[in-house]
Amino acid sequence: MKVLVLGGTGLISSQIVEQLLEAGHDVSVFNRGLRSLPYGDRVRSIVGDKTDAAGFRQTMSGVQADAVIDMISFNAEDAQVTVETFRGSAGQLIFCSSSAAYKRPYRSVPIREEAEELFDDPSFGYAFGKAEMERYLQRVITEGEVPVTIIRPSLTYGIGAANLGVLRQNYNIVHRIRSGKPLVMFGDGTTPWSFTFAPDLAKAFVGAVGNERTFGQAYHATSEEVHIWQDLYTVFGEVLGIEPHIVHISSDLLKTADPALFSHLYYEKSYCGLFDNTKAKRDIPGFRPTISLKEGLKMMLGWYEREGHRVDETKDRLEDRLVQLHGEWSRQLAGLKY
C-alpha cells in the first residue's frame, strides 16, 4: 500500500517508517526537513510546513496515499487540516493521539477505552488539545466520509527519546547514578505504570494500515509489563550495577517549582498507568508488546554511550537544588515540636 507519514523523524514515527518498509509498503514522509532522514532512497521525502494550511493542501494535491498516518496533529485545528486535505483522496486516516487525552481519575483499572471519558481541563494544554482533537475526529467518524483510526500512546521511550525521567533528564539519570548523586522521584514512587518502547508501539500503527476492523475505532497501545514509577530508576541502577539514591517530592510541589516541566506529573503521571490492550490485540493481530523495561533501558544506555550524550547542566543544577531543599525540609520536620 502507499502510506504517507506526516512526521517520520520523531521517536515513534521513525520506528513506524522502518516497520512500514519492512512490511513492504510504499512509504512517503512529510516534514519540515530539519533532520536528515536515515531511509535513503527507500522513502520519498516531501518538505513543507503543515501549519501553513493552504500551502500544505497545495503540496498534498498531487500525493496519492492509501493511508495517511498523522503524527503531528495536537489539537482539533491540526486534525481538521489533515481531514480536509485528504477527504476523498486517502483510503484511511490514522491519527496519533495520547493516553493523556483520558480524563482523570480513570473509571477503570486496567484502563479500558470504552470505560473512559476525554480530558476536559484546559489547565493541562497538551492533554486538552489531544482531547479536543479526538472530539472533532469523533464527529468526522459519525459523518462517515473518511475512515479514521485513532491510536493513543502512553509514555513511550526509545532511541531519540527526549522525555526520560521525572525531570525529562535523559542521560542525566545515568550521570547521577554513576556520580552517586540523588535522583528526584515524584510522590512516593509507587504509582503503577507500564513503560512502553517505540518499536512495540509502532506495531499498532503499522498493523492498523488498511485494517478495516480499526476504522472508526480508538485504541491505546502500551507495554503490558507492570511496574511502579520508581522502577524506572531502580532498573536503570540494575543495568549500571549501581543502586541509585532516590529522594521523594510530591508532584504538587514539583509543579509549583516549574509548571512547564512538571505539570505532566501532576495531571497525568500521578494516576495509575496500566492499560488493558485487549481491544488492540483483538483488532490488530500484529500488535504484541515484547520489550521489557530492562531491555529497553539497556537500549537507551547503548544509545547514550554510542552518541556521547552530555549532561544537561541546567537540569542537573535544578535536581541538585531540589535535593538540597528536600534535605532542608527533612531536617526541619525532624526537629518539629508540637
Side-chain angles (χ1 to χ4, degrees), residues 26-258:
D26 181 349
V27 183
S28 300
V29 298
F30 171 88
N31 52 61
R32 291 174 295 172
L34 301 180
R35 301 181 190 175
S36 60
L37 299 177
Y39 316 118
D41 58 5
R42 297 180 298 159
V43 170
R44 177 190 179 193
S45 177
I46 307 167
V47 176
D49 185 351
K50 188 168 176 280
T51 62
D52 174 9
F56 178 70
R57 293 189 186 100
Q58 178 63 34
T59 300
M60 293 295 111
S61 61
V63 176
Q64 306 224 337
D66 299 303
V68 177
I69 301 177
D70 185 345
M71 304 298 293
I72 54 176
S73 283
F74 298 95
N75 53 48
E77 292 75 18
D78 291 345
Q80 186 174 2
V81 171
T82 299
V83 170
E84 292 180 351
T85 299
F86 295 104
R87 180 188 279 126
S89 62
Q92 179 189 18
L93 303 180
I94 302 173
F95 285 87
C96 181
S97 183
S98 171
S99 64
Y102 288 128
K103 187 176 181 179
R104 272 72 169 181
Y106 296 111
R107 294 183 166 191
S108 59
V109 177
I111 298 146
R112 293 176 288 109
E113 295 93 338
E114 65 274 13
E116 302 304 324
E117 296 180 348
L118 292 174
F119 197 84
D120 57 3
D121 183 356
S123 299
F124 185 27
Y126 174 77
F128 184 71
K130 286 291 191 179
E132 287 286 274
M133 180 185 84
E134 288 209 31
R135 281 186 269 269
Y136 163 73
L137 291 173
Q138 289 299 332
R139 295 194 294 272
V140 173
I141 289 169
T142 300
E143 293 168 1
E145 291 186 38
V146 57
V148 170
T149 301
I150 300 169
I151 296 180
R152 302 169 180 143
S154 181
L155 182 60
T156 303
Y157 299 142
I159 303 303
N163 62 340
L164 189 69
V166 170
L167 282 77
R168 306 186 193 274
Q169 68 266 61
N170 303 299
Y171 176 73
N172 282 29
I173 296 170
V174 174
H175 158 70
R176 294 184 74 87
I177 292 175
R178 284 176 168 164
S179 303
K181 301 177 77 172
L183 289 159
V184 169
M185 174 55 57
F186 71 97
D188 62 4
T190 61
T191 304
W193 203 266
S194 294
F195 297 97
T196 305
F197 289 87
D200 275 344
L201 172 60
K203 298 173 187 176
F205 285 89
V206 176
V209 170
N211 181 346
E212 294 185 6
R213 296 189 69 177
T214 70
F215 292 1
Q217 299 296 320
Y219 306 87
H220 47 239
T222 72
S223 170
E224 295 179 322
E225 187 180 49
V226 177
H227 284 282
I228 60 173
W229 250 93
Q230 187 153 304
D231 289 344
L232 179 64
Y233 292 164
T234 57
V235 174
F236 232 137
E238 291 175 15
V239 171
L240 293 166
I242 305 169
E243 183 175 357
H245 178 200
I246 299 172
V247 301
H248 299 88
I249 302 175
S250 77
S251 59
D252 183 49
L253 286 174
L254 290 170
K255 180 172 71 73
T256 301
D258 190 334

